[in-house]
Amino acid sequence: MSTHIVLVADDLTGALDSVVPFAERGLSTRVAVDTAHIDAALADNPDILAINTQSRSEPATIATARIAALWDQIASFSPSLVFKKVDSRLKGQVSAEIAALLHASGRSEVLACPAAPSLGRVVIAGHVQGHGIDQPISVAERLGAERLGTERLGTGDFPCQIRDARTWEDMRDIARTALTYPSRTLVVGARDLAAAIAERTMISTASAPAQALRPALPIIVAIGSRDPITQAQIDHLRAHCPDLLDCPAPDGMVSPPTDRTEAPIILVRATKGRGNPAPEDVAQRLAMGVAGIMAARQPRTVLACGGDTAFALAGALDHGVLTPCHELLPGIPFSHFGDHSGMAFIAKSGGFGSPDALSAIVSLACSAAPRIVPAPAIIPAQVAR
C-alpha cells in the first residue's frame, strides 16, 4: 500500500494547499478534484492523496454523505494518518464533516489546530485571530465541542484536544503529537499543520522541484472570489501591470475580448451584476467563459482564485486529477493536470495573501525561463504508528 496519508478538504484550493508541502519534500501526491475522481487519483499509486468533497456551501447532510462515500472508496488503502483540512477561518460544515470522518475512519479522538502562522493567523486561548479576522473565532464552537471536564465532540463520545499556536515551532510540536498515535487520531487543521506533518514524515526536508517549475506567459487570471482581500489584490494587479487585459464578468458572464487578444496577461474577474446568483453559479459561468478564452489563447498558465472558481474551471477543462509541485507563495500551490506536462494550474484561496500576491505571481511568469528540473529522489520515513 503506497498511500500513507489521506487529506480531506471541503474545497479545491484547500486540498491543494494542504498537500503541496508533501510534494515539495519529494513524495508522490495526487489531488482528486472531486469524489468522482478518487479512483483515477489512486491509479497513480501516490504516497499522499488529497480529496476535495466540494461541500463547503452544501447542507450538512450532503457533506456527511460525501464523507461516508469517499471512505468506502479509500478504506482498502488503510491510510496511516487521516487529516481533515479545514479553512483557517473555520468556514463550512466543519462539525458535521469531522463527526462523519471520525465514524467512517474508525478514529476515536480529535487533535485540532486551525492556525496558519505563515499566513498571519494564530490560535490563542482556543480562538482563531489575525489576518482577515475581525472578531476571534471560537474553535470549540465551530467544531461542536463541549466542555465536560475536557473538550469532547457533542456528536459523540470523542475526546477533542484543541491546541493553541502562534509560531512555526508550535505547529511542529502539534505535528509531533499528531504522529504519535495516528491510527486512533483524526487530525484537524489548516495548511500549516499539514506542512509541519510533512516535515516530520520525511528523512530529508530538502525541497523537491525547488523553484525550477514556474508560471509562464501567456497567463489567464480567473477570479470568482469577492473577498475584500482578493479585491485589494485585483486593485494592485490592475495598477501595476500595464500589459494586462482586464475582462470584467458581471455575475460571472464573460464577454470574449475583442481587442488586445494577444495580451500576455488576461484578467477575467467576476463583478456585481444586476442579478443575485448563487456563488457556485457565478463560478460555473465564469469557468465556461474562461475555458472559451483559453481555447482561443492557449495559455501556458491559468491562475484560479476562489475555491468554487478553481473547481468549476477544472471541470470545464475536463480534468479530474491534479499533481501539485510546490508553493509559489505561502498557501499558493503550483500544479499540473495529471502529470508534469502541459499547462500549469495555480489555485489561490480568496481569503488570504498580501495585496501584491497576484502581482507577484504574474511577475514570476513574466521573468520565467522555460525549464523543468526533475525532483530529487527522497525516501519517506515511516509514519509513526
Side-chain angles (χ1 to χ4, degrees):
M1 192 279 293
S2 59
T3 302
H4 302 288
I5 298 176
V6 169
L7 302 100
V8 180
D10 64 1
D11 77 344
L12 185 54
T13 54
L16 286 164
D17 72 26
S18 60
V19 78
V20 74
F22 297 91
E24 288 190 317
R25 288 164 174 82
L27 288 168
S28 169
T29 60
R30 293 293 185 274
V31 175
V33 169
D34 56 24
T35 55
H37 292 91
I38 291 174
D39 288 345
L42 286 173
D44 294 327
N45 293 317
D47 298 307
I48 314 295
L49 171 68
I51 303 167
N52 169 35
T53 59
Q54 196 57 26
S55 54
R56 179 169 296 176
S57 60
E58 297 287 357
T61 52
I62 292 177
T64 55
R66 289 180 185 173
I67 296 286
L70 77 83
W71 194 264
D72 287 342
Q73 293 178 262
I74 66 169
S76 62
F77 287 85
S78 302
S80 300
L81 184 140
V82 181
F83 187 100
K84 178 65 184 81
K85 199 281 179 183
V86 294
D87 174 75
S88 57
R89 291 184 290 187
L90 295 170
K91 295 184 292 184
Q93 300 292 351
V94 176
S95 176
E97 293 193 356
I98 289 173
L101 199 50
L102 275 167
H103 287 289
S105 67
R107 266 57 183 177
S108 58
E109 61 189 29
V110 173
L111 173 64
C113 181
S118 67
L119 305 178
R121 291 177 184 162
V122 298
V123 176
I124 300 173
H127 288 71
V128 186
Q129 49 195 286
H131 179 62
I133 299 173
D134 295 330
Q135 296 293 328
I137 301 166
S138 168
V139 179
E141 182 177 318
R142 295 293 294 122
L143 265 59
E146 299 174 351
R147 183 172 292 281
L148 302 172
T150 183
E151 244 90 25
R152 304 183 82 82
L153 288 191
T155 54
D157 189 25
F158 297 109
C160 179
Q161 182 183 167
I162 297 172
R163 296 280 295 270
D164 287 356
R166 299 171 184 250
T167 66
W168 179 245
E169 286 304 317
D170 292 335
M171 302 311 297
R172 283 176 167 162
D173 185 57
I174 297 167
R176 189 180 303 113
T177 302
L179 290 166
T180 304
Y181 300 107
S183 62
R184 74 186 191 201
T185 304
L186 174 63
V187 184
V188 176
R191 170 237 182 224
D192 278 16
L193 184 52
I197 290 172
E199 179 183 282
R200 290 197 62 82
T201 59
M202 300 302 300
I203 290 173
S204 170
T205 58
S207 295
Q211 307 311 315
L213 295 170
R214 300 175 66 178
L217 300 178
I219 180 171
I220 294 180
V221 182
I223 300 182
S225 173
R226 300 295 303 279
D227 192 291
I229 292 174
T230 296
Q231 293 303 306
Q233 294 163 350
I234 292 171
D235 292 343
H236 191 283
L237 179 63
R238 295 174 65 199
H240 293 84
C241 186
D243 294 328
L244 179 75
L245 174 59
D246 187 13
C247 302
D251 289 339
M253 299 298 295
V254 179
S255 298
T258 57
D259 62 337
R260 296 183 60 207
T261 55
E262 296 303 309
I265 305 149
I266 299 176
L267 170 65
V268 185
R269 54 188 176 91
T271 60
K272 177 64 177 174
R274 295 183 178 180
N276 190 31
E280 54 268 28
D281 292 335
V282 173
Q284 289 292 338
R285 294 172 188 170
L286 190 75
M288 294 306 296
V290 170
I293 296 175
M294 290 173 65
R297 188 67 180 93
Q298 297 294 309
R300 294 179 63 190
T301 307
V302 59
L303 191 166
C305 185
D308 286 340
T309 303
F311 175 73
L313 190 52
L317 298 175
D318 196 26
H319 285 285
V321 179
L322 281 161
T323 301
C325 303
H326 66 97
E327 285 187 319
L328 294 173
L329 297 172
I332 304 180
F334 177 98
S335 307
H336 285 285
F337 291 111
D339 54 32
H340 280 213
S341 63
M343 183 180 63
F345 184 81
I346 302 168
K348 189 190 88 66
S349 175
F352 71 82
S354 61
D356 65 348
L358 295 177
S359 300
I361 294 170
V362 169
S363 294
L364 283 173
C366 292
S367 62
R371 58 193 179 94
I372 295 178
V373 177
I378 302 176
I379 302 174
Q382 290 294 320
V383 176
R385 294 185 181 275

